Every structure is written in structure tokens, then in C-alpha cells.
Amino acid sequence: MALSFYSFAKGVVSGILKSVYRIEVVGLEHFPKEGGVLLCSNHISNLDPPVVGITAPRPIHFMAKEELFRVPILKHIIGNLNAFPVKRGMSDRQALRTGLDILKDGKVLGIFPEGTRSKDGKLRKGLAGVGFFALRTNALVVPCAIVGPYKPFRTLKVVYGKPIDMQELREKKASPEEATEYIMSHIQALLEQH
């Protein structure tokens, strides 16, 4: 049920967004066809989740701020779109467990490591949670860059980078902060290249 609703919604949202923005997707060949994927993107607009959702080749499970799940109709819609709640500004153990389960089940977990939108479009420091997921699972980490701005009928680029090799950091027992920094440097590199 959830997957068919996801596919239906993806088609509808894709039609709407592609009629407003010229969405160009780069690097889809880098996206793993199977297995757990931690998809990490910069965050410049409220439209980022649907834009990444319609351009990624596999269904994505996004963490969404808990407040969205308090809106009666919205909570059912985003729940059927594979989103799950996270409490912002604190360590949310339930959200961390859910994220780990998604990755261990071989699915795609989508995260905006900055935690909130960047007002000036520049990449901000990432939160340690993304490093936690990268170090605690064997999921492939895929960096993603949304290159704006979101302006009607202008090109909006979504760039998927090659999976990041986290093995060395896992072996040397790096901290989640170090892992996050490493991932953010890959997102920054994509932004600079495009």
C-alpha cells in the first residue's frame, strides 16, 4: 500500500515540480541499485525533500521534524511517503533506531545533515547524527548537492556523487563528528564542481 501511494505521489509531484523548474539530474549512475544507502544532501529549501524524492531512483525514507506529524492530515500523507518523526535539538533515540533499521533492511535513508535550511545557500556544519548512521552500519553513503536557486523556469540541478568509502573511518573508530565532517566535505566538493 505505502509503495503504491509513494509511486503515485512521486508521479504527481514530479509533474508539478517539473512544470515549474527545469530539473536537471546528474550522476544517477552512482546511485546503488540495492542495499542500504545513506543519502546526504545540502538543504536550501522546503522543496528539497520532494525534489530529491522525485529524482532518486529508489524510494527514500526521510527524517521529518516531529511538528509535521502533529498536523492531522499531513501526518498520514508523509507517513505513507516513508517519512518518520525526529525531535530536533536533542538526541532522539527512537529516530536513531528507526534510521538504523531502515539502513540494515537495505533501504534508503535520506538526511539533510545541516538539520535546517541554509538561508544563504552556503553549506553549514553538519550534525553528528549523520556520522552516527555512517559509522554504525555498512550502508553506502551517497552525497547529494542541490544547486539552486529555486526560481520558476530556471535550471535546478540535483547532483548525486559517487558513494563515499567510510571503511577507513570505521576501522579507526572515528567519532560521529569526524565522519560527518568527511561527508560534508564531499557535498561541498559537489557544490563547487557544479
Side-chain angles (χ1 to χ4, degrees):
M1 160 67 184
L3 186 60
S4 59
F5 179 77
Y6 187 100
S7 301
F8 168 75
K10 182 174 179 173
V12 171
V13 172
S14 181
I16 294 167
L17 289 175
K18 287 180 178 175
S19 69
V20 179
Y21 306 105
R22 288 176 36 219
I23 299 174
E24 185 185 330
V25 186
V26 179
L28 266 187
E29 69 277 8
H30 300 313
F31 207 104
K33 292 184 174 41
E34 55 190 31
V37 173
L38 179 60
L39 178 61
C40 304
S41 175
N42 63 320
H43 198 7
I44 57 173
S45 164
N46 283 331
L47 291 174
D48 293 342
V51 163
V52 172
I54 65 167
T55 59
R58 293 171 57 190
I60 302 173
H61 298 256
F62 280 113
M63 280 187 168
K65 57 185 179 183
E66 187 190 38
E67 296 82 22
L68 296 176
F69 288 85
R70 295 190 197 133
V71 182
I73 295 171
L74 189 59
K75 80 174 184 185
H76 293 297
I77 294 172
I78 61 177
N80 280 324
L81 291 174
N82 301 337
F84 62 98
V86 61
K87 295 183 181 90
R88 297 199 296 178
M90 61 186 79
S91 178
D92 183 342
R93 289 192 176 171
Q94 182 54 50
L96 292 175
R97 269 196 297 274
T98 301
L100 286 174
D101 288 344
I102 287 165
L103 293 171
K104 286 174 181 170
D105 286 348
K107 297 174 182 165
V108 181
L109 175 62
I111 291 191
F112 297 98
E114 295 161 281
T116 188
R117 292 184 317 277
S118 167
K119 304 263 191 299
D120 59 8
K122 289 189 172 71
L123 191 67
R124 297 156 41 131
K125 188 174 166 58
L127 301 173
V130 70
F132 169 83
F133 288 124
L135 295 171
R136 290 290 293 271
T137 67
N138 288 320
L140 292 170
V141 179
V142 174
C144 174
I146 301 166
V147 186
Y150 280 85
K151 292 243 172 91
F153 314 113
R154 293 263 304 274
T155 299
L156 179 72
K157 231 184 235 189
V158 182
V159 184
Y160 293 101
K162 291 179 181 169
I164 303 166
D165 185 2
M166 301 297 294
Q167 199 50 43
E168 196 178 313
L169 289 179
R170 288 177 186 135
E171 283 169 9
K172 74 170 200 175
K173 306 265 190 285
S175 70
E177 290 79 9
E178 288 174 298
T180 296
E181 213 170 288
Y182 187 60
I183 292 166
M184 298 307 281
S185 71
H186 282 75
I187 298 172
Q188 183 63 47
L190 291 179
L191 287 167
E192 288 168 5
Q193 287 160 21
H194 296 274

